[in-house]
Amino acid sequence: MKSITKTIALSTCLIFTLFMLLSTVVALPFTGLTYGLSITLCLFVAALAFSLLRALWFTDRLIRNLTYPGRILGFGVTAFVALAAIAWIGRWFPVDNLGAWVTFTTIYLVTLLGFCIGYQIYFKRTVGSFDAALRSYHERQGR
């Protein structure tokens, strides 16, 4: 049952993403780049950027021998820069409003902290730590 639930969830996410992207692109010629369409496109770009950064920082394909805190720091900084650039380009809020940027940064840091705590709990319950999971993976791959 767990496998079918996971398959349905992943399929739903993929179909939703494709529907949203396609409908946004189709709507552009008719409505122009409205605020709502801009946000939708920005969120798609942000999701793509975060996926690429996650692959960069949390696999060992490009970056090897980096501790989990180092990976978190690298991901956190690069993801913030990417998200801030997307927010600025997409004009999510007035770019000259310092309070908006402080709030944006605070929300980002709290969210990042929440995900870090969540992953720590997950790894503790499953394999002990991210480093242990990576070590186990290397052993299975014969590296």
Side-chain angles (χ1 to χ4, degrees):
M1 185 65 178
K2 192 175 189 179
S3 177
I4 189 72
T5 303
K6 183 178 179 180
T7 300
I8 290 169
L10 289 174
S11 179
T12 301
C13 289
L14 178 64
I15 291 169
F16 178 78
T17 300
L18 292 173
F19 281 177
M20 287 299 293
L21 189 58
L22 181 63
S23 63
T24 299
V25 170
V26 168
L28 281 172
F30 299 104
T31 64
L33 188 60
T34 64
Y35 182 73
L37 294 180
S38 174
I39 290 291
T40 302
L41 289 172
C42 285
L43 290 175
F44 178 76
V45 171
L48 179 62
F50 272 50
S51 295
L52 291 170
L53 290 171
R54 182 175 172 259
L56 171 70
W57 290 104
F58 295 104
T59 66
D60 63 342
R61 300 252 187 236
L62 295 173
I63 300 173
R64 299 180 191 273
N65 302 326
L66 186 62
T67 64
Y68 185 63
R71 291 176 187 276
I72 290 288
L73 181 62
F75 174 82
V77 169
T78 56
F80 179 77
V81 169
L83 194 60
I86 293 165
W88 181 71
I89 291 167
R91 301 203 180 267
W92 290 2
F93 43 82
V95 295
D96 59 346
N97 183 337
L98 181 61
W101 283 104
V102 169
T103 301
F104 173 80
T105 302
T106 302
I107 291 169
Y108 174 81
L109 291 173
V110 168
T111 303
L112 180 64
L113 178 65
F115 275 102
C116 290
I117 290 169
Y119 272 111
Q120 277 300 109
I121 292 168
Y122 169 76
F123 283 123
K124 279 251 191 258
R125 289 185 176 170
T126 56
V127 292
S129 71
F130 178 81
D131 294 328
L134 200 54
R135 225 178 358 266
S136 174
Y137 170 79
H138 284 292
E139 289 169 2
R140 286 193 310 273
Q141 298 300 316
R143 291 185 193 175

